[in-house]
Amino acid sequence: MANIRSLSKTEPGVKEVIRVLTMQLAPKEVLLNLEIQFSQNLTGEEIALTVENLEAKISQKHPEIKQIFIEAKSLTAARKASQTSQ
């Protein structure tokens, strides 16, 4: 579902889409798991709003997706990785 990856990237708080996993549960029922790295400067409230917006966009474009799970990539791990690569 490349469309989900590109759709997710349109949300301003999303820095990177790391993984998109889908599972067909029934003929018209799909489970979606997204692993996302959010922008580092977002507050908890902004992350929650970004997740809500993503869920609404995805549900509108893909009504067959009935369950959406969004995992946030650890911001601490991302910071450490960028510091060690410098």
Side-chain angles (χ1 to χ4, degrees):
M1 295 211 162
N3 181 281
I4 292 179
R5 183 177 294 275
S6 60
L7 183 65
S8 299
K9 288 181 178 180
T10 65
E11 196 57 40
V14 174
K15 181 176 180 183
E16 181 182 356
V17 179
I18 298 165
R19 188 176 307 146
V20 178
L21 298 172
T22 59
M23 181 183 291
Q24 189 80 39
L25 300 175
K28 295 184 180 182
E29 185 176 349
V30 174
L31 176 144
L32 170 66
N33 183 293
L34 282 175
E35 186 178 354
I36 292 177
Q37 183 173 354
F38 292 97
S39 300
Q40 291 183 0
N41 59 343
L42 295 181
T43 65
E45 186 175 326
E46 290 169 328
I47 290 174
L49 185 58
T50 300
V51 167
E52 286 178 28
N53 291 341
L54 274 175
E55 289 175 344
K57 284 180 182 179
I58 291 167
S59 295
Q60 184 179 22
K61 283 262 191 191
H62 298 280
E64 72 280 9
I65 297 177
K66 305 295 184 194
Q67 298 177 46
I68 301 172
F69 297 95
I70 298 178
E71 296 180 45
K73 175 81 172 169
S74 169
L75 295 176
T76 306
R79 276 191 220 110
K80 285 180 184 177
S82 70
Q83 289 172 351
T84 58
S85 65
Q86 294 176 355

